[in-house]
Amino acid sequence: MVEQKILAKGSRLYLRPIALEDIPSYQAWMNDPAITRYLESRFRSWSADDLKDYIAQEAKRPLGGLMAIVRRNDDRHIGNIRLSSVNPVHRTASVGLLIGATDSHGRGFGSEAIGLVADLSFGAFGLRKLTAGVYASNVASHRAFLKAGFMEEGRQKAQWLDGETYVDGILLGRLGTIQA
Ligand SMILES: CC(C)(COP(=O)(O)OP(=O)(O)OC[C@H]1O[C@@H](n2cnc3c(N)ncnc32)[C@H](O)[C@@H]1OP(=O)(O)O)[C@@H](O)C(=O)NCCC(=O)NCCS
């Protein structure tokens, strides 16, 4: 188990800052076209050193950027979730995630991780609103955000290339309970 501060804890998962020990699993996911199909990181390959640099860069971001999604029952690192575009004036940020362990897909881990990052953002991080963007063809991601309380806020027609087709982008948002 990686000894690090737990940022948020749910019924089956917890979030902690990503660590160098996470690189082997992370690297396998980042180079798997089935996992990265809807991610903008898919247009290049990723070495362990690339990810080390990326993790160091993310750690300098406001609110620490990249977090590991870990199962509570076996401390297995199954994915990552990231807050980006943090705006301290508007108190907004954007959420992106990947569940890389394919045997953990479709079991509600994605929606639980999004819920945990929302609790952390609206609680300790003092944010007011989170946003996300998904390819319309990424049904699992769209569903996972809706299950975690996000609402559809708009559609961008034919925004993204998915295979050989341009698909809509769906913009999602979730407000925290305290708007002040
Ligand atoms: C998208 C992702 C985070 C979803 O995580 P997950 O743990 O599988 O999601 P959940 O189990 O919480 O919810 C998925 C929902 O989508 C549904 N779903 C999954 N695949 C589906 C498909 N192909 N068609 C229709 N529904 C689908 C599931 O049934 C579930 O809905 P339900 O609970 O109402 O039945 C995960 O698949 C992933 O990381 N994929 C690769 C990276 C990625 O695409 N990230 C998102 C970029 S925005």
Side-chain angles (χ1 to χ4, degrees):
M1 180 185 171
V2 180
E3 288 298 331
Q4 266 189 334
K5 184 179 159 197
I6 291 180
L7 298 165
K9 197 187 277 187
S11 59
R12 296 180 301 157
L13 298 176
Y14 63 89
L15 306 182
R16 59 160 172 76
I18 192 127
L20 295 181
E21 291 88 332
D22 299 318
I23 287 179
S25 47
Y26 187 18
Q27 191 189 355
W29 305 334
M30 290 294 273
N31 291 304
D32 179 344
I35 299 292
T36 61
R37 173 175 167 186
Y38 303 106
L39 305 181
E40 302 316 300
S41 57
R42 69 185 184 274
F43 302 107
R44 52 167 290 186
S45 63
W46 292 84
S47 70
D49 280 344
D50 292 334
L51 290 175
K52 198 173 162 188
D53 291 346
Y54 180 65
I55 287 170
Q57 201 183 301
E58 282 292 299
K60 290 186 204 145
R61 285 189 189 275
L63 309 181
L66 193 61
M67 292 165 257
I69 303 169
V70 185
R71 284 201 310 223
R72 284 183 65 172
N73 66 339
D74 55 5
D75 291 310
R76 184 170 166 217
H77 171 220
I78 60 162
N80 297 328
I81 193 158
R82 175 172 179 254
L83 285 177
S84 60
S85 306
V86 174
N87 187 312
V89 175
H90 302 300
R91 294 166 47 216
T92 53
S94 182
V95 184
L97 81 159
L98 75 81
I99 303 288
T102 47
D103 59 353
S104 292
H105 282 169
R107 295 173 56 192
F109 289 128
S111 42
E112 182 173 332
I114 297 165
L116 286 178
V117 95
D119 293 345
L120 182 66
S121 299
F122 300 141
F125 289 172
L127 296 177
R128 193 182 56 80
K129 183 178 179 187
L130 292 176
T131 58
V134 303
Y135 287 36
S137 48
N138 192 352
V139 180
S141 186
H142 188 200
R143 287 276 322 134
F145 276 101
L146 293 177
K147 275 166 68 184
F150 280 64
M151 310 242 297
E152 205 169 304
E153 296 190 333
R155 285 219 170 211
Q156 302 164 297
K157 295 308 285 179
Q159 178 74 14
W160 304 111
L161 185 63
D162 177 15
E164 294 183 354
T165 315
Y166 288 100
V167 298
D168 290 356
I170 303 177
L171 302 173
L172 297 143
R174 178 176 157 182
L175 288 163
T177 43
I178 299 165
Q179 299 302 312

